[in-house]
Amino acid sequence: MTTLPPRAPGARTSRLTRPLYAYAVLEEFVLLYPLYAILFDETGLTVAQISSLFVLWSLTSVVASVPAGAWADVVPRRYLLAAAPLFAAAGFALWLLLPGYWAFALGFVLWGAGGALSSGAFEALVYTELGHRGAADRYARVMGVTRALGVAAVGASTLLAVPVMEHGGYAAVGAASVAACVLCSVAALALPEHRRAVGGPGSGDEPAGYLATMRAGLAEARASRGVRGAIVLVVVVTAFWDMLEEYVPLLADEAGVPTADIPLVVLVVWVFITAGGLLAGPASRLPVRLLAVLLGLAAVAIATGALLGSLPGWMLIGAGFGVCQTANVVADARLQERITGTGRATVTSLAGLGTDAFTGASYLLYAAVFALTGHALAFALFATPYLAAALVLGRKRAGASPARGGDPGRQEDGAATGESDGTGLPTRRGEAG
């Protein structure tokens, strides 16, 4: 009798990763991204009105994130992931068909609601499905590639938007954006999902009632120090560099870079961010103290690069952002490992809620600091939270045992996934990423 060789890890996960990577690309391949602010301006909106739209967008996401996350713990997650880009598509179509403040406002509400639908559901589906295939240890690698593809798609859509706009105007750009959203929805429907086939009651994979699931998720986040630490780390690592990235073109302009060359500065930064996503898998196996050192170096690199305002400076900023991208994926991976209850998407959505709220507040604070210092010094000042986070992580005892407070039914998590210092990051990992 012939014995078939065991399947390679890639073969176990390809049924998931093919539609997952397609979803990541199509979700960000929106030609309207670099142009919608210009559309608002050309329609006659004031700066105050445009700012109010961004605030409305952020508030919608903040308000809807956790309820949508709890919903993703009750209904099939891939259906919510399929609906999310359709909400965005409806908003984009509304902008182009009925341009005006209230249409733009409703479009942002739809877009924010769509983002909330995928908040928590995306990460929860990926982690649970990898666990079903016996490949949960590959989560950081898979999500790192996913994030890298998303950044690459944003860059490609930005470059393509210019010639499409020249030949077809907003109608062509809008149609391409809506088409990408529809294809993204189709990719979501192709995602596998085996939640009821994994584990049993209390495994974190079997749906329960909506209110019970939300309460369970919030209770776990409140009771587990490891979960709380991972959520805080995800928020801190993500919020600041995600906000600073938006100001890179303005920083380059302040440094005297010609307008025609500013996209090249942005491209340099994007290359490093993409590399940071691709390196997340190997980085997930690093000791926590080494990750703390890298995060501290990222803070120094971002601050120094902003003050230099030259090609070496843009490369330093990109390298710092790349490390932050890596740390974000690793922190998310540890958050998923620490969740044990039925509210996986609910708990994950709390990290999204915190990130959105923190980012929104950071925009306002950055504007105030910029008014006093200019972009270069403001950039440098907003890099310091990463230095503080690195110092906190570095002070943890590398051999500390995991804090499981409030993790009932957890089976020797330290032996299975590596010891934790309570921050949600690993201090030692034996399995391959």
Side-chain angles (χ1 to χ4, degrees):
M1 186 174 95
T2 303
T3 302
L4 294 176
R7 291 187 298 171
R12 296 201 308 266
T13 60
S14 60
R15 172 68 180 84
L16 168 68
T17 55
R18 282 195 297 265
L20 179 70
Y21 294 160
Y23 187 95
V25 170
L26 292 166
E27 182 183 32
E28 300 294 347
F29 195 75
V30 177
L31 273 61
L32 266 175
Y33 280 175
L35 297 170
Y36 62 76
I38 299 175
L39 171 63
F40 301 159
D41 181 69
E42 292 180 353
T43 304
L45 269 63
T46 65
V47 173
Q49 287 177 315
I50 294 175
S51 299
S52 71
L53 292 176
F54 292 150
V55 171
L56 180 61
W57 186 21
S58 179
L59 285 176
T60 301
S61 181
V62 167
V63 170
S65 287
V66 174
W71 196 12
D73 285 322
V74 177
V75 303
R77 291 164 183 154
R78 66 192 185 105
Y79 292 164
L80 297 184
L81 294 177
L86 296 182
F87 274 69
F92 298 154
L94 188 63
W95 289 354
L96 297 169
L97 295 174
L98 300 170
Y101 179 81
W102 292 110
F104 296 149
L106 180 55
F108 269 120
V109 169
L110 290 170
W111 194 1
L117 286 178
S118 62
S119 175
F122 187 81
E123 294 84 355
L125 184 147
V126 174
Y127 188 83
T128 301
E129 190 60 28
L130 286 172
H132 173 75
R133 286 163 156 69
D137 57 309
R138 294 175 60 85
Y139 178 83
R141 177 175 298 177
V142 170
M143 289 301 291
V145 173
T146 300
R147 302 304 183 201
L149 288 173
V151 174
V154 171
S157 64
T158 300
L159 294 175
L160 186 60
V162 176
V164 173
M165 182 66 179
E166 289 179 352
H167 290 88
Y170 285 113
V173 170
S177 300
V178 170
C181 291
V182 172
L183 291 175
C184 182
S185 178
V186 173
L189 293 176
L191 288 168
E193 189 169 7
H194 296 87
R195 290 165 64 191
R196 295 183 181 277
V198 183
S203 68
D205 301 308
E206 184 175 289
Y210 178 81
L211 292 178
T213 298
M214 178 181 287
R215 285 194 296 266
L218 296 177
E220 180 171 10
R222 182 174 59 252
S224 171
R225 191 164 68 93
V227 171
R228 288 200 311 272
I231 290 174
V232 170
L233 194 62
V234 169
V235 171
V236 172
V237 169
T238 305
F240 289 105
W241 82 267
D242 204 29
M243 180 272 295
L244 288 175
E245 185 189 4
E246 300 292 338
Y247 292 100
V248 168
L250 299 178
L251 176 67
D253 181 68
E254 181 182 83
V257 176
T259 302
D261 293 337
I262 289 178
L264 297 179
V265 173
V266 176
L267 181 61
V268 168
V269 174
W270 278 344
V271 168
F272 280 95
I273 296 175
T274 302
L278 295 175
L279 292 173
S284 67
R285 299 192 296 272
L286 296 177
V288 69
R289 284 185 172 176
L290 182 53
L291 285 171
V293 170
L294 291 176
L295 200 57
L297 291 175
V300 174
I302 294 170
T304 303
L307 296 174
L308 286 177
S310 59
L311 178 58
W314 314 136
M315 296 178 69
L316 283 172
I317 291 175
F321 283 176
V323 171
C324 292
Q325 175 80 296
T326 300
N328 180 33
V329 175
V330 173
D332 171 46
R334 285 303 293 158
L335 172 60
Q336 296 304 320
E337 290 176 359
R338 299 301 294 172
I339 298 170
T340 61
T342 58
R344 179 175 299 280
T346 305
V347 175
T348 305
S349 69
L350 289 171
L353 167 64
T355 299
D356 289 338
F358 223 82
T359 301
S362 298
Y363 280 124
L364 299 176
L365 184 58
Y366 184 94
V369 175
F370 161 74
L372 299 174
T373 66
H375 284 296
L377 188 54
F379 232 83
L381 290 174
F382 273 79
T384 55
Y386 292 122
L387 188 59
L391 291 174
V392 171
L393 289 176
R395 291 177 61 185
K396 299 291 183 179
R397 288 190 300 125
S401 59
R404 296 187 183 83
D407 286 348
R410 183 73 169 177
Q411 292 183 352
E412 297 303 317
D413 181 66
T417 60
E419 294 182 352
S420 167
D421 58 5
T423 64
L425 281 174
T427 57
R428 181 172 66 248
R429 289 193 51 145
E431 74 275 16

